[in-house]
Amino acid sequence: MADLYALDLAFDLLDGTPEAVLAEVRRQLASPDGLLSGRGSAWRVGGMLVGEFGPAERGGWALTARQEVHEEQLPDVEDLLLLLAPHIRPPGPVGRIRHYEDEAPDLLVLREGRVVQPALDPRWTASVSSGRAGKVWSCQISREASSG
């Protein structure tokens, strides 16, 4: 069974974002092993894989990406979001993540300079017995397996 996630990101980076950060975004979009480099039809999550990055209308840079990521790549997604979080134009959501078997995604929101994943429905966090449980995190995109 594949542990794949649909990762959708859409936000602007501030005008003063360092060139090294912008270069990393470009690498993630263009490198064959980049987290944001998938294009074409998604394998399990449905829809198309896309990634666009360019000047934003309000200044700075706009990033939009929809990717299919494996559970093993989630630490790399966390690292990328940790790098980008201080440069994301606030406020509001920056994206969402959804396990391919789930019906609804979890929002990724910028709060106090960090990207967090709030549980949208308190009952969802009680679903530990189903084998996957969401959690509020600070740039930790992960699911914890139930221990019993």
Side-chain angles (χ1 to χ4, degrees):
M1 171 145 89
D3 283 325
L4 293 174
Y5 293 80
L7 174 67
D8 301 311
L9 300 174
F11 53 83
D12 289 350
L13 295 174
L14 298 168
D15 246 342
T17 301
E19 184 55 40
V21 173
L22 300 176
E24 179 60 16
V25 171
R26 290 182 188 108
R27 187 189 76 73
Q28 292 293 343
L29 287 161
S31 170
D33 64 339
L35 292 170
L36 309 177
S37 65
R39 301 296 182 272
S41 180
W43 184 63
R44 290 292 285 198
V45 301
M48 299 295 290
L49 304 179
V50 299
E52 295 290 332
F53 184 61
E57 290 292 323
R58 301 186 289 172
W61 301 90
L63 174 68
T64 299
R66 182 169 195 279
Q67 298 294 310
E68 189 170 63
V69 295
H70 192 274
E71 185 173 42
E72 293 171 355
Q73 295 174 296
L74 294 180
D76 296 329
V77 172
E78 176 183 354
D79 289 345
L80 181 60
L81 291 175
L82 282 168
L83 176 69
L84 298 176
H87 310 289
I88 295 173
R89 184 185 321 273
V94 298
R96 59 189 182 181
I97 189 165
R98 177 185 64 83
H99 187 269
Y100 83 97
E101 292 178 333
D102 291 345
E103 292 180 357
D106 297 317
L107 288 179
L108 302 175
V109 179
L110 185 66
R111 286 200 185 143
E112 298 175 8
R114 300 181 309 168
V115 176
V116 297
Q117 179 185 6
L120 297 180
D121 184 336
R123 295 170 295 177
W124 191 75
T125 59
S127 68
V128 174
S129 62
S130 71
R132 289 191 318 275
K135 64 179 181 177
V136 175
W137 54 277
S138 174
C139 274
Q140 293 179 339
I141 302 174
S142 64
R143 303 274 178 152
E144 296 177 344
S146 170
S147 59

